[in-house]
Amino acid sequence: MTPRVAILLSGRGSNMVALVEATRTGVLAGCCEITGVVSNVPAAPGLARARDLGVSTLALDSRGKGRPAFDAELVAALEPWAPDWLVLAGYMRILGPPVIRRWPGRIVNIHPADTRRHQGLHGYAWAWAQRLPETRITVHRVDEGLDTGPILAQRTVDLRGARDLAEVERRGLLVEHAFYAEVLRDLFIAQQNQP
Ligand code: GRF
């Protein structure tokens, strides 16, 4: 059975677009089905981009809601899509036990830095502030911590000669967009080959 994937985002959605395109014409073709895109930010540009791509969307406003209440709402809202995997693409909230336990080991995130060295927001600004010659994009399984889950794969981005933060981000996102789809493909194929 082709794995069913829900994408969670809070903002721009460039990784989501890359993943949707990869399922249509790229490395994820035939590897998974994207059931929909959900956002905790109703005004997230990524939701509009998903709609433009013809993907089902769901907006669940998390403002003013505590984590347990919002997590329960999120799980209930996702159930009709029956996703096998949750793929985070710029999702800016920590997921609590109700979500993690519903999809154990089947929630994946992309982080714009080495999660062993930098967690949380602004991974590219962190690399730029230190003028790092390279940074490592990390794809990892999600646990209840902030970017603490087991690492699935990393890919290096060459930052030498970058003139400003915008260039660091541009180089990094270019890698993210290809890398995330490749890691997910390998993950889904490995999963399907398990007895
Ligand atoms: C990306 O840099 C991703 O690694 C991080 O948040 C950013 C989301 O960007 N988790 P976008 O919304 O996919 O454009």
Side-chain angles (χ1 to χ4, degrees), residues 6-21:
I7 298 179
L8 279 65
L9 58 77
S10 303
R12 181 176 52 196
S14 70
N15 276 286
M16 177 279 300
V17 171
L19 293 175
V20 169
E21 286 172 350

Side-chain angles (χ1 to χ4, degrees), residues 11-15 89-90 92 110-112 124 173 176:
R12 181 176 52 196
S14 70
N15 276 286
M92 301 299 185
I110 188 163
H111 183 72
Y124 290 125
L173 282 167
E176 288 191 41

Side-chain angles (χ1 to χ4, degrees), residues 30-166:
C31 287
C32 68
E33 181 191 340
I34 295 180
T35 60
V37 172
V38 63
S39 180
N40 66 312
V41 179
L47 271 184
R49 296 177 85 175
R51 279 193 291 271
D52 289 347
L53 287 164
V55 177
S56 302
T57 60
L58 198 59
L60 289 181
D61 199 344
S62 60
R63 271 175 308 181
K65 291 174 189 158
R67 194 176 303 152
F70 182 72
D71 282 350
E73 198 183 322
L74 180 63
V75 172
L78 284 167
E79 292 299 358
W81 287 346
D84 302 303
W85 294 84
L86 303 189
V87 167
L88 311 192
Y91 186 70
M92 301 299 185
R93 267 178 84 95
I94 292 181
L95 296 170
V99 188
I100 305 287
R101 288 183 196 150
R102 169 64 183 80
W103 289 278
R106 287 173 170 248
I107 309 176
V108 183
N109 182 44
I110 188 163
H111 183 72
D114 185 337
T115 49
R116 293 167 299 201
R117 296 186 64 193
H118 175 86
Q119 302 83 32
L121 297 173
H122 310 306
Y124 290 125
W126 167 81
W128 172 243
Q130 300 178 79
R131 301 296 190 272
L132 295 183
E134 61 179 39
T135 194
R136 278 188 191 175
I137 307 297
T138 306
V139 176
H140 63 96
R141 292 190 203 266
V142 172
D143 62 14
E144 290 165 32
L146 178 62
D147 302 321
T148 49
I151 292 173
L152 289 163
Q154 293 187 309
R155 186 166 289 173
T156 301
V157 185
D158 185 355
L159 299 179
R160 287 172 300 177
R163 285 182 302 271
D164 51 22
L165 175 57

